[in-house]
Amino acid sequence: MAWLQLHLATTEQHADAFQAALENLGACAVSLTDGADQPVFEPPPGTRPLWQNTVVTALFDADHDPALIKAALELQGLNADAMHHEMLEDQAWERAWMDDFAPMQFGERLWIVPSWTDAPDTQGINLKLDPGLAFGTGTHETTALCLEWLDGSDLSGQTVLDFGCGSGVLAIAALLLGADKAIGTDIDPQALIASKDNAGNNGVAEHLSLYLPEDMPQPFQCDVLVANILAGPLVELSGLLASYCRPGSRLALSGILAEQAESVREAYQPWFDLTPTTRKGDWVRIDGVRRDG
């Protein structure tokens, strides 16, 4: 199997946003390296300093189009200073990397388990998902924040909208946790294919409907909405996402850097009663309940 490898030059302040966006667009792996031979000395505990000039390298399945990836990044306000790509032949390290991937727990019940390992908790909610074969596996803080929120929610009989679904991991988790129906939407057709395959692997495909944004059913309202995208689009789409929520609907937003939290909160306060912001590393989750009217 061949792979597409992209290299994008950016800055320290934008590197995390590029990483999150590339993972949501289907990257099997993303790494950050020094773009200007700048040393980073021993950091204080709990910190992760980056280089002023950072190169973000992403590995995709060979059927991804680098031009479409570039366009999708630009739609999210992410413009690389430079970008180039090459094709790589399959290597033994890819299998070794997958073999190192262990089951992960989110909240009290939910586990993400790769297909080649046994579920550590047979009484838990086990979502089957292989790294390298899907858009996002829960390893990034933004996905983890949403999965933990879903695990702590009562989803019985609910309709859930996963806006910017990527791999469908949030929609699938919601269904396994008791939701009656889930809808996933994403600007990338490959994401919808990945979501459908992952839903089938978890036995919930009949309860998941998938749409490009322009094909979403109208009118439409849900009981629960999760959107793990980026702060800029979340602000721009606040009115649309609010319209998808009926009074009493619950909302969880992530893909937001800590310093961006206030601007996102301000965009949603006209419609939602928001709880205190939840933080994990550099990233946050904002959640709340849709008010009447």
Side-chain angles (χ1 to χ4, degrees), residues 63-275:
D63 58 0
H64 283 75
D65 185 336
L68 292 178
I69 296 171
K70 181 174 183 289
L73 291 171
E74 290 174 348
L75 281 173
Q76 300 178 57
L78 296 172
N79 295 281
D81 297 328
M83 172 177 157
H84 69 277
H85 69 275
E86 69 264 356
M87 301 303 297
L88 302 177
E89 294 304 316
D90 197 13
Q91 301 177 50
W93 52 258
E94 193 271 338
R95 174 51 59 181
W97 174 75
M98 293 176 72
D99 288 345
D100 287 339
F101 187 86
M104 295 178 294
Q105 185 175 13
F106 301 92
E108 297 183 0
R109 300 171 292 167
L110 182 64
W111 290 81
I112 291 184
V113 184
S115 61
W116 58 87
T117 64
D118 294 329
D121 180 4
T122 56
Q123 302 303 310
I125 305 297
N126 295 297
L127 195 164
K128 303 172 187 175
L129 197 64
D130 290 347
L133 303 178
F135 298 24
T137 56
T139 56
H140 196 274
E141 288 96 333
T142 59
T143 310
L145 283 163
C146 292
L147 289 170
E148 290 167 0
W149 184 81
L150 288 170
D151 179 78
S153 301
D154 181 4
L155 302 176
S156 300
Q158 303 283 283
T159 295
V160 177
L161 173 60
D162 181 358
F163 192 92
C165 59
S167 64
V169 61
L170 300 180
I172 295 166
L175 290 168
L176 293 175
L177 288 163
D180 181 62
K181 181 180 180 182
I183 292 87
T185 182
D186 201 287
I187 61 173
D188 189 339
Q190 290 292 328
L192 304 186
I193 294 171
S195 295
K196 181 178 179 180
D197 290 344
N198 289 329
N201 292 337
N202 285 277
V204 296
E206 293 182 0
H207 301 280
L208 176 63
S209 301
L210 297 161
Y211 303 96
L212 293 168
E214 60 269 25
D215 297 330
M216 278 285 292
Q218 298 296 335
F220 169 79
Q221 289 190 311
C222 62
D223 303 300
V224 176
L225 189 152
V226 286
N228 179 23
I229 47 178
L230 292 175
L234 285 174
V235 170
E236 294 173 8
L237 296 167
S238 58
L240 175 65
L241 298 192
S243 74
Y244 285 145
C245 296
R246 61 174 59 94
S249 293
R250 288 166 288 163
L251 170 85
L253 310 172
S254 195
I256 308 160
L257 290 166
E259 59 266 28
Q260 300 168 326
E262 192 55 37
S263 64
V264 177
R265 291 183 68 90
E266 289 177 358
Y268 285 82
Q269 280 172 341
W271 299 282
F272 293 88
D273 292 322
L274 302 175
T275 65

